Amino acid sequence: MPKKSALNHLWESVTPNSQVFDPDRLTHLPDPVQRYLNHSIAPGTPLATAVHLRMHGQIKLNTWTPFQAEQVIAWDQGMIWSATAWMKGILPIFGADSLVNGGGRLAWKLLGLIPVMTAEGEDITRSIIGRMQGESIWLPSVLADGDRPWTVLNDREIETPIHLLGETTRLRLRLSPQGKLEQIRFQRWGDPDETGYGDRLFSGVMEAETEVSGYRVPSRFSVGWGQVESNNLDETAFFKATLDRLTYR
């Protein structure tokens, strides 16, 4: 899989955090926020700053195309999503979406030889930072700062600003009554309809969750530009995935 050495280097560059999750430090936060954080992180769990994921699923490239991928998200540093997709179920496309040393890049090759997509620059960087902001749901530890401001929209919806690498968005989470994450939505820099880059609605539906190393996070999900709806995923999502493994650091 491409970018393997860079992905491993990013993972190994992360210094483990010595702090642990203490629910008693969050008792001043609104009840829905406490429900979400207490559901997502067990007491005494080290507050990770990075996560290493392995996943499989489908991505819409004209038609739904299967893929397998490996990803590292290192908060405040960057990310690499390295994947193989199979056009028509046969022809492999290898590549990666990456944000390393402050610069974003997309690089994909058919059979690992023929370029099919290469893009970089400020717009790509901002879009990938936006992706990382949304993917903070796999690092609820970065949301567990007692000083983080939260807005309670109602008993099931909460919102918080996500500041990352010079970009800010507001992440809205919809929860079950128990605090399980069900939906996300936020503004992400992008050009999904090829009319020019700008802040666009990005959202997702969380269909299942898993428990790993003291964290309970989504394990099956669908995301896309616009409002993704659980009753019409094929029309509104462009990416569906199931997590096969998570490792925290």
Side-chain angles (χ1 to χ4, degrees):
M1 189 174 286
K3 293 283 185 181
K4 183 73 173 180
S5 60
L7 188 146
N8 287 340
H9 183 268
L10 179 60
W11 178 246
E12 294 301 330
S13 70
V14 175
T15 301
N17 192 350
S18 60
Q19 294 183 315
V20 300
F21 180 65
D22 182 359
D24 291 340
R25 296 180 180 177
L26 306 179
T27 55
H28 63 287
L29 295 177
D31 287 345
V33 177
Q34 291 189 57
R35 285 205 309 272
Y36 167 63
L37 293 174
N38 288 328
H39 177 86
S40 301
I41 315 175
T45 299
L47 292 174
T49 58
V51 61
H52 189 165
L53 310 98
R54 289 180 175 84
M55 68 187 74
H56 72 277
Q58 294 179 299
I59 187 170
K60 191 179 287 186
L61 304 172
N62 295 320
T63 61
W64 285 107
T65 302
F67 75 86
Q68 291 182 343
E70 185 175 358
Q71 182 178 8
V72 168
I73 304 169
W75 202 250
D76 285 335
Q77 294 186 54
M79 61 144 277
I80 297 175
W81 184 76
S82 179
T84 302
W86 289 270
M87 291 182 62
K88 300 181 179 180
I90 301 173
L91 296 174
I93 302 175
F94 303 99
D97 298 355
S98 61
L99 177 64
V100 179
N101 297 325
R105 189 167 189 264
L106 313 178
W108 295 88
K109 294 182 179 180
L110 180 64
L111 303 174
L113 300 171
I114 305 169
V116 294
M117 180 190 297
T118 301
E120 54 190 322
E122 181 180 354
D123 288 324
I124 299 299
T125 298
R126 292 182 68 180
S127 186
I128 296 179
I129 292 173
R131 173 178 173 168
M132 280 185 66
Q133 289 168 319
E135 291 177 345
S136 62
I137 61 174
W138 284 286
L139 272 172
S141 46
V142 305
L143 304 178
D145 182 354
D147 294 328
R148 168 173 292 279
W150 290 90
T151 300
V152 176
L153 304 172
N154 54 62
D155 195 51
R156 298 279 297 277
E157 289 187 300
I158 57 178
E159 188 175 87
T160 187
I162 304 291
H163 307 294
L164 180 67
L165 300 173
E167 299 293 331
T168 299
T169 193
R170 295 192 66 84
L171 181 65
R172 181 176 297 187
L173 310 178
R174 179 169 176 81
L175 313 171
S176 74
Q178 295 74 35
K180 175 184 175 182
L181 182 59
E182 294 183 336
Q183 294 178 329
I184 65 167
R185 59 182 295 170
F186 61 99
Q187 295 294 313
R188 176 184 172 188
W189 191 257
D191 184 20
D193 51 6
E194 299 183 346
T195 59
Y197 276 88
D199 281 323
R200 305 285 189 266
L201 176 63
F202 196 88
S203 63
V205 173
M206 310 298 121
E207 303 162 72
E209 69 176 7
T210 188
E211 187 170 350
V212 178
S213 301
Y215 290 94
R216 279 194 288 195
V217 295
S219 61
R220 189 172 73 248
F221 57 96
S222 300
V223 299
W225 298 97
Q227 184 60 50
V228 174
E229 301 289 351
S230 58
N231 60 355
N232 201 16
L233 289 178
D234 282 348
E235 294 297 325
T236 55
F238 76 87
F239 186 94
K240 306 176 184 179
T242 298
L243 299 185
D244 302 307
R245 182 179 175 185
L246 297 92
T247 306
Y248 285 94
R249 172 171 289 178

